[in-house]
Amino acid sequence: MSKHIDLCPDHSNLAALPTCSSVKLEKQIEKNVMNGTRVQHSVWSGKDADTSRQVTKQRNMRMTWCLWRRSRTICLSLAFVTVFLHLLLALVTLSIPHLPCDAPLPPEMQFRVLARNANASAKIGGHGEPPTDVLQGDSSNQDGRREVKANVQRLPYKRLTWKGDKQAKENNTERNANQTERWESDMLKLKALFDHPLYNTPRPAVPEDDWLMKVKPKIKPSQRSSQMWESDTQDIYDNVQWNSSVSSQPPWLRFHLGITRWELYPHRDPNMEPLTQQLATHRIVSAVQKSGGTQLKLVMSFPNYGQALFKPKKQERDEETNYNLYYFSDFERHNAEIAAFHLDRILGYRRVPPAVGRLVDVVKEIKDVTTDRKLAKTFFNSPVGNVCFYGQCSYYCSTEHAVCGTPQDLEASLAVMLPDMSLAKRRSWRSPWRRSYSRSKLAQWETDPNYCVNVKKTPPYDKGTRLVDFIDLVVLDFLMSNLDRHHYETFEKFGNNTFLLHLDNGRAFGRHSKDEPSILAPLRQCCRIRRSTWLRLRLLSLPQYHISDVMRASLSQDPLHKVAPLLSEPHLAALSRRLKTVLETVSRCQEQHKDDPGAEDVIYDDLADVK
């Protein structure tokens, strides 16, 4: 039986129902609902039903009011928390020092300021002073540190450092000290390498016929040419008088006179330092475009009648070659020409002409001094105000491939020119392992594993040292990942019994993340290498003569090292990796031929006659 609960005490007086306290009714209803009690009303009349509806309505209004009040409390709480968090964030932000809004200058502009204030006679070819970033932390070199400090103070931008951050200063000092220690260690390795007996093997005196050029004997004044070493514009060239005395000759002429049958320059050449210094600092009096080739090259002339081959910067040092580009579509890199010279010297070849980096003023040192009308017509200003030019050549001479300064300063490599063809003719040889330069066809050596057998029967590879000379070039190309070796040259005077010129290395060092094993195909197929080359490669794999470390030390002496290292650390690491691959290839060759008595020795002993 249901339990009845009366909401009003007096049932007899129905008129009094509306006068019952609504608050009491509501509380009683809520209490009953919460207690789970089922409320049943007596059967009322129509007025009772109206009263019940009124009570229900009031209860709903009361519940709505309670919900609104709770929602308001929650919203106010959230608003308070939000305001508190904003104030806390503002306090934290204000407590942190603000960084300057000015962006640092690009590397080229930094180098221009440093180059104009630094000593122009920095050592290049020998073991000179440490680079700029090392001198800042070297307490033993007070003069160099003061000079660098003065140069840095002249830079028109603020250094991004935290104000009052002692920890950052300590870290910077420690980093500079580590750089100094590393540089000193690398330089000691480079010096020890060049002092090693493998780089100082005794050699007999050079025979008269093994010199490329000779100084003519004295001639009568009546037989002298009045036009010898004279120019139409005498005011831009030095008034020089050269004779057989070495001291009277400019560095570039001493370089030409020092070329022999076996090398471009001797291991310890006292002329190397003044020669590279001239390339880096000497005044440029003329600039004309060099004919031939697929990309822009200029010939720069100096007041002492010396000349250099100019290759401009076309991409950043750490920028890798696009994987979708073929090797013959790649850009030539100025830093590759410089690095190739240093690597060639470290390998003990000395067959790459000396090359150095230089910051050139596009207007004053090219546009204003050029007599090449075709070149002069290609100068223009870019939308951001940089001076650009593109010259005329087969493929990459257009406004889309223009060379631009920042706004006038341009990085470039300058390599000393070889003697003129009229004085020392050169012969060009097609490489037996030349690539097809086709997007769909392969060369014969890529499909025939016995290709070298036929090469060994073909002159000039059938006798003499031509094959091992070519393998030397292959090792150099593999270490620097140069796929564009379609020809090589020799001096015609020496016939087939001479060294190979390692020219045109601009497409090297394009990719450090991938090695190209096809470059080593001649070594794998022929299994032939010089003993001196093999021993030097093994020497460079040792920790005390590590190839990456000595290469880093050698490149740090170039003027463009002030802008940034000429080879990034990934490229230096790739040198070590590729050197290991070369040594493993030679070891496999030795393993293959150890049980073959009729086969030729893998190692060609060129040191047998050296005492």
Side-chain angles (χ1 to χ4, degrees), residues 211-215 243 249 252-260 419:
W211 294 100
L212 178 65
M213 301 178 65
K214 302 176 184 178
V215 178
N243 51 44
Q249 300 164 0
W252 66 265
L253 182 56
R254 295 200 295 269
F255 169 72
H256 288 179
L257 294 174
I259 300 175
T260 67

Side-chain angles (χ1 to χ4, degrees), residues 391-404:
Q392 294 186 2
C393 58
S394 303
Y395 293 98
Y396 299 105
C397 290
S398 62
T399 54
E400 293 81 6
H401 301 97
V403 176
C404 299

Side-chain angles (χ1 to χ4, degrees), residues 108-394:
E108 294 84 353
M109 295 294 292
Q110 298 179 25
F111 179 67
R112 181 180 63 177
V113 177
L114 289 173
R116 289 178 179 174
N117 296 284
N119 188 2
S121 61
K123 294 185 178 180
I124 302 167
H127 305 295
E129 295 181 352
T132 300
D133 55 348
V134 174
L135 282 174
Q136 291 177 352
D138 187 2
S139 60
S140 63
N141 195 333
Q142 299 295 333
D143 295 336
R145 186 172 60 183
R146 285 194 295 268
E147 178 184 353
V148 172
K149 183 178 180 181
N151 290 330
V152 171
Q153 290 176 349
R154 295 189 183 98
L155 293 177
Y157 68 92
K158 297 180 180 180
R159 300 187 64 179
L160 301 179
T161 56
W162 300 104
K163 295 180 179 179
D165 192 349
K166 296 182 179 179
Q167 185 63 35
K169 293 180 180 180
E170 293 177 357
N171 294 338
N172 188 37
T173 303
E174 182 178 359
R175 184 169 58 252
N176 289 336
N178 292 336
Q179 289 178 350
T180 303
E181 183 178 358
R182 182 178 184 179
W183 182 86
E184 291 176 349
S185 175
D186 292 345
M187 290 302 299
L188 289 175
K189 290 182 180 180
L190 181 63
K191 184 179 184 303
L193 179 73
F194 286 158
D195 289 340
H196 196 275
L198 281 175
Y199 290 79
N200 296 274
T201 54
R203 294 188 178 184
V206 179
E208 190 71 18
D209 293 337
D210 283 357
W211 294 100
L212 178 65
M213 301 178 65
K214 302 176 184 178
V215 178
K216 289 184 176 181
K218 293 183 178 181
I219 59 177
K220 298 179 180 180
S222 59
Q223 296 177 346
R224 295 179 182 174
S225 172
S226 59
Q227 299 298 322
M228 183 176 295
W229 302 109
E230 292 186 1
S231 170
D232 294 336
T233 53
Q234 291 294 318
D235 55 330
I236 63 175
Y237 286 94
D238 296 339
N239 183 15
V240 293
Q241 295 181 355
W242 306 327
N243 51 44
S244 58
S245 174
V246 176
S247 60
S248 69
Q249 300 164 0
W252 66 265
L253 182 56
R254 295 200 295 269
F255 169 72
H256 288 179
L257 294 174
I259 300 175
T260 67
R261 181 185 294 273
W262 305 115
E263 58 189 3
L264 282 175
Y265 55 92
H267 172 54
R268 297 190 181 277
D269 186 6
N271 183 53
M272 189 55 59
E273 183 177 338
L275 176 62
T276 52
Q277 193 175 49
Q278 171 187 296
L279 294 173
T281 62
H282 223 41
R283 182 169 59 95
I284 298 174
V285 298
S286 175
V288 296
Q289 186 167 351
K290 188 178 185 300
S291 60
T294 60
Q295 303 193 33
L296 178 66
K297 296 183 289 291
L298 303 180
V299 175
M300 318 297 266
S301 300
F302 303 115
N304 62 359
Y305 296 93
Q307 291 185 325
L309 184 64
F310 169 97
K311 288 190 177 182
K313 174 185 176 182
K314 287 209 168 184
Q315 64 184 48
E316 298 299 328
R317 292 167 171 76
D318 56 352
E319 184 178 352
E320 279 200 286
T321 300
N322 192 319
Y323 286 93
N324 292 316
L325 286 181
Y326 289 93
Y327 47 88
F328 48 82
S329 300
D330 194 12
F331 287 122
E332 291 188 351
R333 286 165 283 275
H334 70 301
N335 61 314
E337 291 286 354
I338 304 168
F341 160 63
H342 287 263
L343 180 59
D344 177 86
R345 187 173 59 142
I346 287 173
L347 293 175
Y349 295 159
R350 297 183 292 277
R351 301 165 194 170
V352 173
V356 299
R358 177 166 176 165
L359 199 67
V360 176
D361 190 309
V362 176
V363 175
K364 295 180 179 179
E365 296 181 303
I366 300 179
K367 183 179 179 181
D368 292 348
V369 299
T370 185
T371 57
D372 191 333
R373 295 182 179 179
K374 293 181 179 180
L375 175 64
K377 292 180 180 179
T378 65
F379 282 85
F380 65 94
N381 290 335
S382 71
V384 295
N386 294 332
V387 182
C388 307
F389 67 101
Y390 53 86
Q392 294 186 2
C393 58
S394 303

